[in-house]
Structure formats: C-alpha cells, structure tokens
Amino acid sequence: MNSERCGVFGIYAFDECWNVSRFIYYGLVALQNRGQETCGMAVFGEKGLKVVKGKGLAEDFFTEKSLEEVKGWAGIGHVSPLEPHCNENIQPVYVGDGVRVALCYNGKILNYKELCEGEIKPEEDAVAVANLLAKELKHSDPLEAMESVMEKIRGAYSLIAFTDKGEMIVARDPKGIKPLVIGSYGFDHGAVASESAAIDVIGADLKADVKPGEIYVFNSYSIDRKRALKDRERHCAFEYVYFCRPDSIINGKSVYEVRMKIGEYLAEEFPVDADVVIGVPETAIPFAMAYSNATGIPIHMGFVRSGRSMRTAIRPTQFERLVGVQLKLNPIKSAIRGKRVVLIDDSVVRGTTTRNIVNIMRNKIGAKEVHVRVGSSRLIAPCPFGVEVPGKDELIAAHLTEEEISKVVGADTFAWLSLEGMVKAIGLPKDKLCMGCFTEEYPYLEEET
Amino acid sequence: MKILLVGEGAREHAIADALSRSTYSPRIFAVMKLRNPGISRICEETRGEVKLGDSTDPSFVASIAEQFSVDFVFIGPEEPQFHGVADEVENRGIPCVGAKRGPSEIEMSKAFMRRLMWKYKIPGRLRFMAFKNIEDAVAYIEEYAESIALKPARQAGGKGVKVIADLQAYLKKEKEEVKKKHVRNIVEEHMRPYTDIEERILIEQKVEGPEYTLQCFTDGRVVKPLPLVQDNKNAYEMDIGPETGGMGSISGPGKTLPFISEEEYEESVEIVFQTVRAIEKEVGEAYKGIIAGQMMLTALWGPTIIEFYSRFGDPEAVNVLPLLETDLVEISEAIISQSLNKVKLEFRDSATVVKCVAPRGYPNRRDLAKGHPIYVDESKIKEAGGRVFYGSIDIVNGEMITGGSRAVEIFAEADTIPAASEIAEKCVQYVTLGDGWKLFHRSDIGTEELLNERIELAKLIREIYRYRREKNLIGRQIDWIPKRGRIEYEF
C-alpha cells in the first residue's frame, strides 16, 4: 500500500508497568485527519510483539477486547487513507524470519521495486522496506541497520519500526518532506507522531521535530540518536495548507498561525466588497476568520457538518466524495440569503466540491454574489510522494484560468493565493519547502534529471 | 590540620578539592565504601589516607576520626547522617560539619518535612498524604484521580519517585493502574531496606515549573547561600527518559540563574532559613552543616519546595564548589563554632556547566552499567578547558571500574552557560570504556536552546503566580469533589 498521507504514532514507556495500547489508540484517533480507511497497531509486552489491524476508523475498528489483547509498554500505530487489496499489507506490516519487524510509515519510497527480488505490487512498499530492515538487523545493531536501509531507499518517509526484541526505530527522510515530531511524558514515556496534536492528546509535551535524516532507537535502557544523512530540507507545503490539524506544530511552525496568515494575505491580494465571509468547514475556517479580521467584513457560520469529519478531497472514490459533500455541509440559510458572500475554501482539486457549494448557495439559498477565495496556490501537478493529489488531467488549475474556473463553479470571482503569499505565510525559506504540487518541481526527482 | 571526609562520590571529590585549596594546607583523610580515584589522589597529595569500609557506620567512622586525631569531620552524603555518624563523632569530642540524626530528618522523612512546613506555615509547601500501608494508599488513589507525585516516604537514594499527570479522563484507567502498581513497588522494593521510619508512601500534589537547587551552609543561626544551580533529571536529551540522580547541571553567572529573578532568589533563601529555624525548634538541636532546597517556581506559590537535602546536591556541588573563593576550612570552623554570620562567602563570577557521563544501562539497568573498565584522559580534558570529578568508579587491582551510576562529572567554566556547555562537550570524548560498552551523556545541557525553554517556562509561571499574589490567592486552593462538596485548603 502506498503510505501516502498517513499518520504514524509510536510510544515507549521506560517503566514496564505501563500499558500503552490505549495511548496508541488515542494517538491514532488524533491523527485520523490523515487517513480514515485502515488503522493498526503493534504493541510490545510480556508476550512479545502483537499486531492488530484492519479497515475503518480507529474508533470503529479497535474495541475494548482488541486493545486488551495487545497489552504492553511500547508500540507503534498507523492510519491510512487508502484501502489495500490484501489485509497483510495494512500497516504496521509485520515481516521477517529470525528477526521480526513491524513497520509503518507516511510517505512514499520511490524505489521500492529495487529493494527486494521478485515482483512487488505498489501496495507492498512497506513490506519491502520492512523486509530490508529485518535483513539488515540480522547482522547490525538497530541504528546501523536503519542507517544502511536509509542509504538504499529514496523518497519521502516518516517511519517507525518495532523489532521483536523490543526496540523502536524512528527515521525521517533526509529532506524531511513529511512531518514527524517527538515528545515526552515526564519520566515515563517518549512518544513520536506525525503531528504534535497527537502528542498533546495523550497528555505528553512536544519536545522537537525529528530532524531530516535523523534516526532514533529506543530500547528499555537507552535512546540512541544520530543524524545519519544530511541533505537540504524540503518540507511539504501542502501539510500547512491542508493536511495538518490546525492545533499542530510541525517543523517548528504553528499550523494555525500559518493558516491565519494565509487568510490575511488572501484579503491583501484579493479584496472584494461583500457582506459576509464564510469558510468551508473545517480547514478553511482559520483562513476565513483572518480574511474577516483583515477586511472588517463579518464572518458567519455558513455550514454545519453532519456526522464525522470527512475530508472530501482524500476520499478514495468519486462516489464517496459526493456523498461526503452532502453529508459534510448543510448550509445555514439565514447567514447566506440575499448576501454578497466571500466563500473561503482550503483547496480546489477537481472543482467538484466548490461547484456544489456555490450551486447550493446561489441557486438553492439565494446568495446575491459568491466570490471564491482559495487558501492554497494553484494545484497544478500530482505528488510523487503520495499526497493524494490526482493526476494532472484531473486538476482544474492545470487547465483553466481563474476566470474560466469562476464560470465553471458558478462564482462571480475566483482567486487562488499567490505562490509568494503562501510561502510568506508558511514562514520557511522557499528553498526549504517542497512545493511540487504547485510548481511541478520535485526534490529527489529533479536531482536525477 | 587534619580533616576526615566521609563519602565516595563526585560531590565528595568536589568537597575534598575545595578543602585542599585551603590556606591551612590540611591533610585530608577519607572514609569511603569504594576507592574513588579523585578523592584518593587528593588524600595522597595532602599526605592523608584512605580507609575503605562502611561510611554509614557511626562507630566505624568515629573510630577512624579518633585514630587519625582529625580536627573535624566533614560528611558528604545523607545516609551517614541518617545513621547518626555526626552524633557519634561529636560524642567522642570531635567537631563535625554535617547534619546530626535529628536535623537530617528534613531529608530522611519526606512526611516530616511536609508536616514541618505546614506547622510553621513556611511558604512554598504542597498538599500531601502519608500512608503506612499499601491498602490505604490504594484506597486514596481509587477515590481521587489527580495529578500526583508518588514517593517513598523516606529518602531512598533518590529512587522510587513517580510523577503522574492525570488530566485526560480517557486515560485515567491506565494511570490509576500505574499509580497502584507503583505504590506496591514503593513498599515492596524501594522502602524494603528501611526499618527506621514507620510511614511508607507519600502522595503529593503535582506542580509544574522550572526547577532549581539552592544550597546553603548553615550553623543553625544563619544560612549562607551558594549560587543557584539547575540539575537535569531526565536520562536522555530534550528532557526525555527516566529519572536519574541528575545528568548534569548549570549555574551562573552570578548568584542566580538566567530564569530566576533576584527577588525569587531572596524568597528561596528565606524559605530555607525559616526551615532551619523550624527544624531546631522541632528536634531541639542546631542544624550544623549543609542544607539544600530542591525548588520549583510554581503557579501556586512562586518559589516552592519539592524536597530538602541535608547535604550538597550531586551534581550541583560540582558546579559551585570549584568557584568558592572563601576558605572552606574557615567556613567549616565557623559552622562548628556557630559564627557563620562573620563569614563572607565569595565565588568567582562565572557560568558553569557540569555534564555527567554514565555507562549505558544507568539508571534502570545498573547491572548492565556496572563493571566496565573506564579511562579518563585528564590531560586532554584539561587542555580542552574542563575538569574531572570522579563519581561511581572503584579502583580494582589498579584499574578503574564503573560502579553502575554516573561515573564521571565534567566541570566547565566560562562567561556564559552555553559557552561552558561547549567546553564540557569537547571534554566528554576523553572519557571512554575499555570493553566496547557505550557511555552516554546529555549534549543538550547548557545549550542556548534548552536554556531558552527554561526561560519561557519561568515567564509563564511567573505571570500566573504574580497574578495570584495580586489577587490575594496565594495560600488558598478551592476544590470541589462530586458528592463531597466544596473543600477549601488553607495554606
């Protein structure tokens, strides 16, 4: 399975009296925004390493009973937005002979096919990496083994593995494309997660980002740490715009602060005379608040969501995307009727969701004007590192101008945040960001050509 | 002049070093459980002698003091004090620096310490419950889900403390399990060797904030504070990992730390002073020796007592004793004759960093950390600008062997803490093991980054406690427990 925009979590208690399976569970619930199709955990305790994994949301899949079966003082967990054909490929994968390794990661290994002999399906990339690590562990200590694996694999990865000897191995790719942070709970646990919000949710304190190219090895009596590979950082810009929870801090930057700045710059770049600002729940709400603060146009609650948070752009099928929109967004008529509306959205991929929303606002409720402002720059290219941006032929921004898009979605005006505005909002130097989906220039790939 | 030093750690090495600098050129004798290389060398250089044996046995120590007819005895660690070494030495007419059995109760019994603070209304006290058996402690834990510190009721070599923040209702069950298991662990493991105290378990309210240690000389009448030191208790970098005796510490420049204000420093000294006076009233004996407050800046009070030491901290002693410019022999004599008010303490105005180097396995698997041959290239360390203080190392057949705890403490001095940290960091590589086992230390201690974290935390806490003071809320806490109603705690 491609470990596209997944969530990873790991925890290690230094005192064996702890049972951490529920900590992992809540860590995964906190990371559910990063994938809702499969979930799993591997926990190490008195009975060795136990794995439980399956389809669905963490809250639905894990039960009192299944958590009870995987008791232990350390372990790892994973959530994914993709559904594999084969249950064994759900992460954490668990492989090896002699040395057994459970492994999960967020990202995409570009050269997974070269790692093992024989045919490997795309969804078996994690299996291939885990097998490679297990092989290395037969003759090296965990730090050396991971270092040697990192020399062989190429791509984006925030990875956590657990050996059947009780060692937790953490690694982040040399460019640090995907986020990964480390935290601590007093004298009792160390924890690692894709987003700092998961560290907060289990009551631990955020300590730092795992640095690009860095390896951590936890065991019951030490933590080893090494910057194994050094390269220029290229942090994913889309994480800030769309993927991360607003309460997370990644690569030292508060996602909420970035999103407020995006709203501010949108107002600066594309002001419009209007009566009300409305944000599309949930990612675009901070954009809309900041747009309203900057322009003085009042913000209103335009939509109420039914059911659980579902992220429409990342649902696997078109059908579910449509169902997702209807369920997700029921408009509040009195906030919209007869008003000139600035509608703030987080991203526009195919234009389908935006078209539906504008259509509802205008034709069903009677908004006087609808001006769409998007908090991301033009999404013009797919992502080789697994951020599930569809192919170029499905990306509206790659084919139409803003004016054309405004006609397609039925809006009065339509505008994306400029690339410069987005970079400025993120607050990291442009050359430290991966902006492949906005520019079609990719780290790792560009170096080969 | 002849002095007998009791104890075998890096702290005692620093004491021996400070004593040996005296203008009285004292001969230094030592009673040690094992042969600390640093102290042994100082004894040799000053024409003293080393006696190996049980340094906690009063008659053994006193007989050695008599044998060498020393002018006074200086006790480093707490256990000899708890066993009454100072009392026995004084009974035989030899003066002693180091708390007697009575006053040392301030460290030995954590329940005594808390009760004393409440009885004499000393600021910086915390709510606590002391239990004599597992059942009562477990019943309390089952009733209240709180953020607490679970401690052995007696000082147990700094081990056995567990701090549980219990703020997520959805993880309450897991935490309750751990609290209960740990209560059992305290009684059955940590407290098992000790029959000299009835209470077994102490449960204290958990507080948060930056920690610091205030070490003071006292003759029972006045306290003379040393510069503040901050120790780092987590085993691994970035404050991750199990609790240790301390992996390294920072001090200076000047008497306070970059994150503690002058006012907070003065208030901390006042707390220690009031405690010293209260101890004398309670036990009927003057406190003659060293007292240290392990303190925290909390929202509840500002300066708050976490624990008291009846001795110098380790590694904290190693930060400040090398900077001491006043003659330690004169200080000792002033403590003995209760004329400490006449002594002016002077320190070199530097920032210091101490980094402890321990064999892997410390603190939770001391069996793995023990028994490795260790080499220290002192001349290289000196060249790099640092100094070595020997800790948990024994000399066996002329070879240095690790004892399972922090083996070496590297001291470095500079204008700023980060600069001292860099020096210490360069020195660490000159400590090596001879058998392929690995050593570890914390490279982050004293770095700008970690220091800024402490400064930020202190700012946050300072804002809250100052607000509480303004609103006259200090010393009061109101709680409401379902079905029990409102509870008001008057501090």
Side-chain angles (χ1 to χ4, degrees):
Chain A
M1 170 174 69
N2 294 331
S3 313
E4 321 227 337
R5 215 179 47 47
C6 308
V8 292
F9 185 84
I11 184 166
Y12 211 109
F14 307 112
D15 184 340
E16 294 177 4
C17 72
W18 285 93
N19 174 24
V20 298
S21 58
R22 209 170 298 267
F23 285 72
I24 301 172
Y25 167 74
Y26 284 107
L28 295 181
V29 169
L31 294 172
Q32 201 80 74
N33 60 307
R34 303 184 68 84
Q36 302 168 344
E37 293 305 313
T38 69
C39 57
M41 67 171 80
V43 186
F44 185 80
E46 272 162 21
K47 293 175 192 155
L49 196 54
K50 295 266 178 195
V51 180
V52 54
K53 58 186 183 179
K55 290 174 186 170
L57 298 166
E59 273 177 272
D60 297 333
F61 173 74
F62 293 108
T63 59
E64 282 289 326
K65 195 164 159 277
S66 66
L67 289 175
E68 202 58 31
E69 279 163 14
V70 290
K71 273 183 152 177
W73 57 84
I76 62 177
H78 190 258
V79 291
S80 165
L82 291 173
E83 201 176 317
H85 297 99
C86 162
N87 253 20
E88 271 155 37
N89 293 338
I90 294 175
Q91 298 187 37
V93 296
Y94 191 33
V95 304
D97 51 69
V99 183
R100 306 261 299 156
V101 174
L103 180 144
C104 56
Y105 84 103
N106 166 31
K108 194 160 177 180
I109 308 293
L110 299 170
N111 61 336
Y112 67 91
K113 283 185 182 154
E114 300 158 18
L115 303 179
C116 303
E117 285 163 26
E119 188 95 349
I120 306 179
K121 294 192 209 100
E123 69 173 50
E124 289 169 343
D125 56 347
V127 176
V129 178
N131 272 319
L132 182 63
L133 180 61
K135 212 168 94 190
E136 294 290 340
L137 280 166
K138 281 185 185 169
H139 52 80
S140 313
D141 74 36
L143 195 82
E144 290 163 359
M146 191 64 228
E147 200 173 348
S148 152
V149 167
M150 285 171 82
E151 277 159 14
K152 294 187 178 78
I153 61 177
R154 204 165 45 80
Y157 51 88
S158 284
L159 178 154
I160 314 178
F162 213 104
T163 73
D164 60 355
K165 290 195 190 119
E167 298 134 331
M168 183 165 84
I169 307 170
V170 178
R172 192 175 179 200
D173 75 78
K175 291 184 187 294
I177 293 180
K178 305 290 177 177
L180 193 62
V181 298
I182 185 162
S184 145
Y185 173 81
F187 296 117
D188 286 275
H189 319 138
V192 184
S194 288
E195 292 187 37
S196 64
I199 302 281
D200 300 336
V201 160
I202 60 156
D205 299 315
L206 173 66
K207 288 298 171 187
D209 291 287
V210 173
K211 293 196 176 71
E214 198 170 33
I215 304 172
Y216 281 85
V217 176
F218 290 68
N219 68 29
S220 60
Y221 58 89
S222 66
I223 296 180
D224 274 335
R225 181 182 176 195
K226 184 176 180 185
R227 191 86 182 256
L229 296 173
K230 272 196 184 163
D231 199 344
R232 187 151 52 89
E233 295 154 41
R234 297 295 294 271
H235 304 305
C236 171
F238 211 44
E239 290 280 353
Y240 289 99
V241 175
Y242 186 76
F243 292 140
C244 279
R245 292 170 51 136
D247 51 345
S248 281
I249 297 167
I250 57 164
N251 308 311
K253 294 276 168 195
S254 154
V255 175
Y256 181 74
E257 252 175 63
V258 171
R259 292 193 183 155
M260 291 299 277
K261 287 226 175 80
I262 284 176
E264 219 178 289
Y265 297 149
L266 262 182
E268 240 176 70
E269 291 182 13
F270 305 103
V272 60
D273 197 14
D275 305 312
V276 61
V277 177
I278 281 171
V280 179
E282 289 177 340
T283 318
I285 300 294
F287 302 157
M289 289 182 341
Y291 192 98
S292 161
N293 291 346
T295 56
I297 303 168
I299 183 168
H300 275 269
M301 189 169 166
F303 300 93
V304 174
R305 196 184 60 206
S306 309
R308 285 202 181 94
S309 154
M310 276 188 274
R311 310 205 64 172
T312 48
I314 56 167
R315 299 292 297 182
T317 66
Q318 183 75 13
F319 172 73
E320 280 178 89
R321 255 195 311 276
L322 288 171
V323 172
V325 177
Q326 306 286 315
L327 244 184
K328 182 168 138 174
L329 302 173
N330 190 44
I332 297 176
K333 294 184 182 65
S334 57
I336 297 166
R337 187 175 194 96
K339 306 252 173 73
R340 294 172 299 165
V341 179
V342 185
L343 180 72
I344 314 268
D345 207 347
D346 47 28
S347 65
V348 173
V349 180
R350 301 165 182 87
T352 329
T353 310
T354 316
R355 178 158 50 185
N356 283 343
I357 294 169
V358 176
N359 180 42
I360 290 167
M361 291 178 103
R362 191 178 280 261
N363 302 329
K364 286 204 150 174
I365 301 171
K368 207 160 140 198
E369 290 171 19
V370 180
H371 303 272
V372 178
R373 300 289 176 267
V374 186
S376 98
S377 300
R378 300 168 71 97
L379 269 177
I380 58 160
C383 177
F385 306 114
V387 170
E388 210 192 310
V389 178
K392 204 168 174 175
D393 52 353
E394 286 189 63
L395 294 171
I396 195 166
H399 301 277
L400 302 183
T401 64
E402 292 183 342
E403 189 158 341
E404 287 169 325
I405 297 172
S406 77
K407 289 194 176 121
V408 170
V409 302
D412 295 271
T413 62
F414 182 100
W416 311 85
L417 181 66
S418 69
L419 204 60
E420 295 67 40
M422 194 177 70
V423 171
K424 206 164 79 176
I426 293 169
L428 293 169
K430 195 172 178 178
D431 63 356
K432 286 195 171 178
L433 290 172
C434 172
M435 297 196 291
C437 51
F438 308 110
T439 61
E440 234 180 329
E441 288 161 23
Y442 304 104
Y444 292 114
L445 295 177
E446 68 204 30
E447 286 150 22
E448 277 168 23
T449 50
Chain B
M1 169 171 287
K2 289 188 270 186
I3 304 165
L4 179 65
L5 176 65
V6 180
E8 48 280 309
R11 167 184 51 215
E12 286 74 32
H13 185 182
I15 295 169
D17 176 68
L19 287 170
S20 73
R21 294 200 305 265
S22 166
T23 52
Y24 293 81
S25 310
R27 294 174 65 190
I28 295 167
F29 298 79
V31 182
M32 297 190 263
K33 282 183 180 163
L34 40 81
R35 199 175 286 277
N36 178 302
I39 302 171
S40 303
R41 190 168 61 204
I42 290 171
C43 290
E44 206 175 293
E45 284 166 2
T46 59
R47 295 174 298 114
E49 254 180 71
V50 169
K51 284 281 174 192
L52 295 185
D54 185 359
S55 54
T56 67
D57 176 357
S59 58
F60 174 66
V61 176
S63 66
I64 288 169
E66 278 178 338
Q67 185 192 326
F68 293 120
S69 52
V70 298
D71 294 86
F72 66 90
V73 175
F74 199 117
I75 303 175
E78 67 278 14
E79 276 302 330
Q81 298 169 0
F82 301 164
H83 284 81
V85 167
D87 305 62
E88 182 62 25
V89 165
E90 280 196 14
N91 282 347
R92 301 203 194 175
I94 304 165
C96 187
V97 177
K100 288 165 111 177
R101 171 68 190 84
S104 75
E105 188 88 358
I106 194 67
E107 168 160 10
M108 181 173 149
S109 164
K110 295 174 188 181
F112 169 85
M113 181 272 274
R114 286 290 171 219
R115 267 186 225 114
L116 186 86
M117 291 190 74
W118 278 87
K119 183 173 169 187
Y120 290 88
K121 293 209 171 292
I122 300 168
R125 54 195 186 271
L126 299 176
R127 273 161 44 208
F128 75 102
M129 299 282 285
F131 299 94
K132 289 177 184 161
N133 60 59
I134 295 172
E135 294 69 34
D136 292 350
V138 165
Y140 178 82
I141 286 166
E142 282 174 348
E143 195 168 358
Y144 304 107
E146 296 175 299
S147 295
I148 52 173
L150 291 161
K151 299 177 172 181
R154 182 195 192 277
Q155 171 64 275
K159 292 174 211 136
V161 176
K162 198 176 261 312
V163 185
I164 309 274
D166 194 352
L167 300 169
Q168 287 75 28
Y170 44 89
L171 291 168
K172 178 185 170 299
K173 210 180 102 194
E174 273 67 23
K175 290 179 180 174
E176 191 182 304
E177 273 312 300
V178 168
K179 287 175 186 172
K180 289 198 280 192
K181 278 186 198 167
H182 192 67
V183 161
R184 213 163 276 283
N185 200 15
I186 284 175
V187 173
E188 287 166 4
E189 192 188 321
H190 301 291
M191 285 296 289
R192 205 165 60 135
Y194 305 115
T195 51
D196 50 5
I197 186 167
E198 200 184 350
E199 280 156 330
R200 306 270 98 187
I201 308 138
L202 193 83
I203 299 182
E204 261 174 16
Q205 72 180 119
K206 178 188 180 292
V207 278
E208 275 175 271
E211 290 189 69
Y212 57 98
T213 309
L214 173 65
Q215 308 175 100
C216 301
F217 292 108
T218 183
D219 59 358
R221 293 180 178 168
V222 294
V223 299
K224 291 277 180 179
L226 286 77
L228 292 186
V229 183
Q230 185 187 40
D231 186 17
N232 292 274
K233 293 286 186 190
N234 290 89
Y236 315 130
E237 308 204 333
M238 298 182 291
D239 299 332
I240 302 175
E243 183 170 28
T244 67
M247 288 306 293
S249 41
I250 58 173
S251 79
K255 62 183 176 182
T256 167
L257 283 158
F259 49 88
I260 299 294
S261 72
E262 192 105 340
E263 198 186 342
E264 287 155 357
Y265 175 78
E266 297 303 332
E267 284 174 19
S268 304
V269 173
E270 180 59 27
I271 289 172
V272 174
F273 174 68
Q274 285 187 27
T275 306
V276 166
R277 298 304 299 157
I279 292 168
E280 186 169 336
K281 279 185 203 145
E282 206 60 16
V283 304
E285 264 178 316
Y287 195 131
K288 290 158 86 172
I290 288 104
I291 183 165
Q294 209 209 316
M295 312 194 68
M296 188 189 269
L297 206 60
T298 69
L300 199 62
W301 286 99
T304 304
I305 290 289
I306 301 301
E307 307 213 328
F308 270 109
Y309 299 152
S310 54
R311 30 95 194 174
F312 288 122
D314 188 355
E316 293 98 316
V318 176
N319 288 81
V320 287
L321 287 177
L323 301 182
L324 180 63
E325 287 184 332
T326 314
D327 194 319
L328 184 54
V329 170
E330 276 175 18
I331 297 169
S332 301
E333 286 180 336
I335 288 170
I336 289 161
S337 63
Q338 293 198 290
S339 57
L340 197 57
N341 58 333
K342 291 187 190 129
V343 174
K344 187 168 184 329
L345 281 193
E346 294 198 69
F347 294 88
R348 211 160 41 247
D349 188 12
S350 293
T352 70
V353 169
V354 173
K355 295 205 182 196
C356 303
V357 183
R360 174 172 299 195
Y362 175 75
N364 285 349
R365 291 290 305 275
R366 287 172 199 244
D367 54 319
L368 296 176
K370 200 175 166 165
H372 306 281
I374 184 167
Y375 304 106
V376 181
D377 192 334
E378 282 202 47
S379 60
K380 285 266 200 251
I381 290 172
K382 205 172 161 190
E383 235 171 76
R387 291 186 62 190
V388 180
F389 291 88
Y390 289 91
S392 172
I393 290 181
D394 198 0
I395 298 178
V396 183
N397 302 326
E399 202 182 16
M400 294 203 297
I401 303 292
T402 62
S405 183
R406 297 157 295 170
V408 166
E409 296 178 15
I410 304 281
F411 165 88
E413 182 181 347
D415 291 340
T416 65
I417 290 170
S421 173
E422 269 175 41
I423 297 170
E425 200 55 33
K426 275 186 206 133
C427 299
V428 167
Q429 58 180 310
Y430 301 119
V431 183
T432 49
L433 293 182
D435 60 358
W437 191 252
K438 284 185 189 162
L439 292 163
F440 76 101
H441 75 286
R442 280 185 57 176
S443 69
D444 62 339
I445 291 171
T447 57
E448 196 91 52
E449 204 182 349
L450 201 59
L451 202 54
N452 284 339
E453 238 175 76
R454 312 280 187 243
I455 292 170
E456 283 308 307
L457 179 61
K459 260 190 211 160
L460 174 78
I461 299 290
R462 190 170 295 126
E463 270 172 34
I464 310 172
Y465 89 72
R466 285 196 176 154
Y467 169 84
R468 286 174 48 85
R469 282 185 186 185
E470 246 170 61
K471 299 277 167 192
N472 210 15
L473 293 167
I474 294 286
R476 252 193 295 169
Q477 209 176 6
I478 298 164
D479 203 355
W480 183 83
I481 295 165
K483 292 181 186 166
R484 279 188 161 224
R486 184 184 137 113
I487 300 174
E488 200 160 326
Y489 301 97
E490 281 292 339
F491 280 80

